[in-house]
Amino acid sequence: MAAAVVLIVPATAAGGWALVLSAGIAAALLSIVTATRRERLPRPPRWLVPLAVAALGLAIFWGTPAEVRWRIGDWGPHHVLTRALERSLREGSGIPRWLLGVSSGHAPYDMYPVMTYLVAAWLAVFSGARDDIPAVLFALAVACHVLLCVNLTRLALRMSRRWLAFVVGALSLVDLGGFDSGAAGAILGVGLVHGALAQCFTLTAFIAGLDFLARPRLAGAAVIWVTVALGTACHPSSLTFVLAWMVALLLAAALSPEARPRRVLQLGMHVAIGTLAAAWVWWPLLRRVFDYGLPFAFRSPSLDVTFDELLASLHAPVSSFPIVIGVGALGMLAALASRRLAPTLTGLTAAVLVLSYSDAPHVLLGTAGSAWFTRLQPFRFVTLARPLLFALAAYAVCLAVASLRGRVRPLDRWRRPWAAAVLGLLLLVLLRAAVPFLAARVADVRAAGAAVPDPDGFRALVEWARTRPASGGFERLLYEGDSDSSWIYHLSAETGLPVLFVDDASPCAVGRERMQDASPASLQRFDVRWIASKGAPPTLGDAATELRFGRYYVRAWPGWDGRLARVERGAGEAVVTGLRNDEIDVELRGTSEPALVALGTGYYPRWRARLADGREVPVYAAPSVPGAWSRVPAAWIPPGHVTFTPDGPLPSDGAGRVTAALAIAAALFVAVTPSVRRWHRPLLRAAARAERLLLRRKRSIAGAATILTAVALALWAIRARAAPVAAVELGTGGSGAATVEARMRAEDPWTPCRYSRIAGSFSCGGAGRVGTAAATILSDYGSGNAYLAPAVMAWSGAPSAEFRVRMQRRLEGDYAAATVGRGVAAELRLAGGAPVALTRTRAPLAIAPSAGPVPIEVTFSRPGGGVFGFVVLQPDAMGIDRPPAAPAPPEAAPSFRP
């Protein structure tokens, strides 16, 4: 009767009461039915849980790749690079070394992880979707996101119940998060697909590692080899995960009684084999990025801010469900206390990653003064830790449910009809609240890939660009925007018209050499013919030629002459007779003498030039315009034909190949050994004897290791004390190694600040505190991107607070000093010399060798207070602004003999 009332008069109060009554009666009847059955209800098989999460993911995202063709974020660079690679693979020419149509011309496949582009390009080739590459890319991103959630569910199944694993897996599907969280907002919204694909492999390897520790099998070892190798080949962030995993494995072996030393060593060996097997991919990539690439560093927050962001999501939302991250943090602590191997290893890995996200371990352990730290992207640690925290949240809830079950036995109470009726009413309230909430999250996730501004106008701009074949010459379009507008590369992908920014920092152009500025000489050098903008007419170009496409404006630049090659010194005319990405044919006419010919594309050490008879002539790096920091390739050539190709060797070529070959040989040996009895049994006996020996003498071995470590630390300290410092830092250990003073106003006397050994910083009372922290500093070498470097920072507690730092450090060589933050007034004195006013632009400091430490005194303040500071560092030692080896062209032409 109640159900009938619900259906007949749903819009009345009687219908509402009937719905409540129906929920209670249905729950009570269900309790009576289940109470009569003594056998346990069948449990679904474990494999069904991740399969259900995968099915839910497909249901959520089905059809989304076709909803938005052009998306903002990194989707523009992904589009243009995948299309170029797909075309190259289809033509059988392999991976291009150079793309003229990308920015000022770059080697993106040399300087950025190419595995994801290869996967997307082959998907486009085999699926026949060559005309809809954005849909292929977005489908790949959706697949990566769903696979991550499936792996997260599989990890949770190792530590919790089936229904909890399904809940955290389903929540992760609709977790939007933020840019730097690794959730759907990063993968689907921004387009961070490379790291997502790599994380799919490394998380699979981590789960296989847990299974291997429980039950070693050769098949599990093979899974670890393959997935670790693929993960590290997809993105360098996998190397940080592997490193954190191995550190956590050593700690877990010491904490968990379930850890068997032999299995721990075997797992470490298998992970090392997988990592080194892909060294031929990631090793040369990292060397090229370090030598020729831009910095893409991001901030590294302090430890207290890290906890704020993870637990309260104050800065960028790590998750749309911060309560899950908070419970995951509790699960991390519970896992460490459980001493069970799987939860302990998972919790320790998450803890290492979360701590590495902050600047505390880097500053404390000295890695903040290293060259690799300048390019570190700390948000990658949060991305890698997020799935582990979700799984640990399921583990924490599982522990809480198990604790309650032993005390109140909720299932027995639930079988009583009256208790079941109350539970049914609570479930009705929960469904009425949860269903709209989850539906809104699903809608947000499906809409993560926002369209480009004014899609109709952009479509009209694309149609115009399709009709713009170069009229007898090469032409580019300059977009008056910033690198956040890299979606404009959709225009190049669809039409082939090269697009660039001034000082572009998008992921498709990570070389240092780029367009100098928007001066007429620079525009002419890089063959810019069109100037485009959005929302307002461009400031450059001829207003009489202006075209409008919705919100987009295009003007022609009158100085364009279509010349990609120009004579810089000497006489004659350089004419481009053939043009491809990997080959530029130039003919020098109208002269009988050699001339210096420069190309209108960025310099890269791979460029080389060959004459018509096959002889190779050296390629130099010439300024793009007089007095510029940006360079273009140039060569002295005789009259006649010359071919420029970007296929020359680099020092990084071949790096890691021997290491990879040895790792693959080790994997083959491990795989073949069990089938060869005369090898297998002696190795097992030797391993057993070694394990017994280690266990029998573990105390003496631990004592010897402790003594050796202490001696090594002492020698390290002596060497560090005698060597010049790469960056000026305050002490963060037992002493601050400096004198810090503060005052509230300029007329007040200086008051000493007390060093806190717990906080690792100086406490200055109401004025605030001073300590060493990681800060982002601007580059002075044209790229404009930030570097990450250790700095002396003040957290001011008063708007007019002023701080003075005095210390002695061993300085020698070329240093640079600058302020961190806007509006900072800072004054530097070295060895009591004249004061040097510091600004945000780094000031060079040449310091001669001395017999001992150099006295340093810095006074700094900022009106309004806040967080600010200064840096004094050695750019060369920290890999900052290190330009590639770029030989300048000689003044006179060499002699060319027939």
Side-chain angles (χ1 to χ4, degrees), residues 256-281:
S256 175
E258 297 179 4
R260 299 184 181 181
R262 187 191 308 178
R263 295 183 182 180
V264 170
L265 291 175
Q266 288 175 341
L267 177 58
M269 178 192 69
H270 294 317
V271 174
I273 288 175
T275 304
L276 297 178
W280 63 279
V281 177

Side-chain angles (χ1 to χ4, degrees), residues 163-220:
W163 66 273
L164 283 171
F166 176 78
V167 168
V168 295
L171 289 178
S172 65
L173 283 171
V174 295
D175 184 12
L176 191 63
F179 160 75
D180 50 4
S181 66
I187 301 173
L188 306 181
V190 182
L192 302 184
V193 190
H194 299 76
L197 182 60
Q199 196 174 5
C200 288
F201 291 120
T202 52
L203 198 54
T204 302
F206 185 80
I207 297 170
L210 294 179
D211 296 339
F212 184 88
L213 290 174
R215 190 179 182 187
R217 288 292 183 269
L218 181 59

Side-chain angles (χ1 to χ4, degrees), residues 66 77 124 487 524 615:
W487 45 263
Q524 188 178 59
R615 287 182 297 168

Side-chain angles (χ1 to χ4, degrees), residues 790-882:
V792 176
M793 301 293 291
W795 290 263
S796 176
S800 58
E802 188 176 5
F803 303 91
R804 183 170 66 183
V805 176
R806 289 182 292 183
M807 67 186 91
Q808 291 189 350
R809 298 290 186 269
R810 186 176 292 275
L811 306 178
E812 182 178 324
D814 295 327
Y815 285 78
T819 59
V820 178
R822 296 184 181 275
V824 180
E827 190 176 81
L828 168 69
R829 291 177 182 268
L830 292 177
V836 177
L838 302 183
T839 63
R840 293 189 70 198
T841 302
R842 297 202 301 272
L845 302 173
I847 301 176
S850 59
V854 177
I856 304 171
E857 179 180 320
V858 182
T859 305
F860 61 107
S861 63
R862 183 170 72 171
V867 181
F868 55 94
F870 65 91
V871 293
V872 178
L873 50 82
Q874 208 170 25
D876 289 341
M878 298 192 64
I880 293 178
D881 295 346
R882 179 188 297 172

Side-chain angles (χ1 to χ4, degrees), residues 349-373:
T349 306
V352 172
L353 291 170
V354 170
L355 287 176
S356 301
Y357 171 56
S358 71
D359 63 3
H362 305 289
V363 171
L364 180 64
L365 302 179
T367 56
S370 60
W372 67 269
F373 185 77

